[in-house]
Amino acid sequence: RRERQTAELASAHYRQATVDHLTGGRNRRAILDSLEEHLAAPDDVVRPWLALFDLDGFKHVNDTYGHAAGDDVLRTVNQRIGLIEGVTAHGRLGGDEFAILFDGAFDAEEVMAAARVLSLAIREPIPFNGATLRLFGSIGLYRADGDTASHCLERADAALYKAKELGDGAIAQFGPHDEVALQRRIAVMRQFNDCPLE
């Protein structure tokens, strides 16, 4: 009995540490752990695509219909993400932002197609207490490459920022030109931070 209780307690602790209490899916720690596992795989293993997904207009839902509506939207979005073909893992990073791992076997065109299917799924109306909620989702894509999850997140986030600038639930992929721009920004920030204070 003691062994069973210990196992149940360990299982409860694991769920608490890895499950997002709101959506029931992976939390930030769990999805980033999954990404780190992929990055630690041998070099000949194909890396997944990392997508950062952010809802456009989520604050308006919370402000207009209340936090219960916002919570329902997040649960629905989490469920819809899980139904998209090619999604191997996903989880909520916090707020209305999700991280998604797409199958590494996808090429650039295929992952864009999968992201478009996701975007259309999110645009489907969400009923709530007699109201019909409609939202868009911006998506930033990056082929997970590098030593750490933070390296990948930084680049997927840059792609997400680009998508948000395009508006209307756009999808953007991080490419070589974006890497050049990112390195330029990092160099400028380093110079700024290294400047002695007068």
Side-chain angles (χ1 to χ4, degrees), residues 81-131:
I81 293 171
L83 296 174
I84 303 302
E85 189 174 348
V87 170
T88 60
H90 68 285
R92 189 167 72 107
L93 294 179
D96 61 328
E97 188 173 34
F98 292 80
I100 303 163
L101 297 183
F102 281 105
D103 192 337
F106 284 166
D107 62 22
E109 288 184 11
E110 289 169 333
V111 77
M112 282 293 285
R116 281 193 289 272
V117 172
L118 170 59
S119 181
L120 290 173
I122 299 305
R123 291 171 190 237
E124 287 294 315
I126 299 173
F128 179 80
N129 283 354

Side-chain angles (χ1 to χ4, degrees), residues 173-190:
Q173 198 171 126
F174 188 90
H177 294 300
D178 300 305
E179 183 66 41
V180 171
L182 178 62
Q183 292 304 325
R184 190 178 297 129
R185 281 199 305 273
I186 290 172
V188 169
M189 285 303 297
R190 281 182 182 152

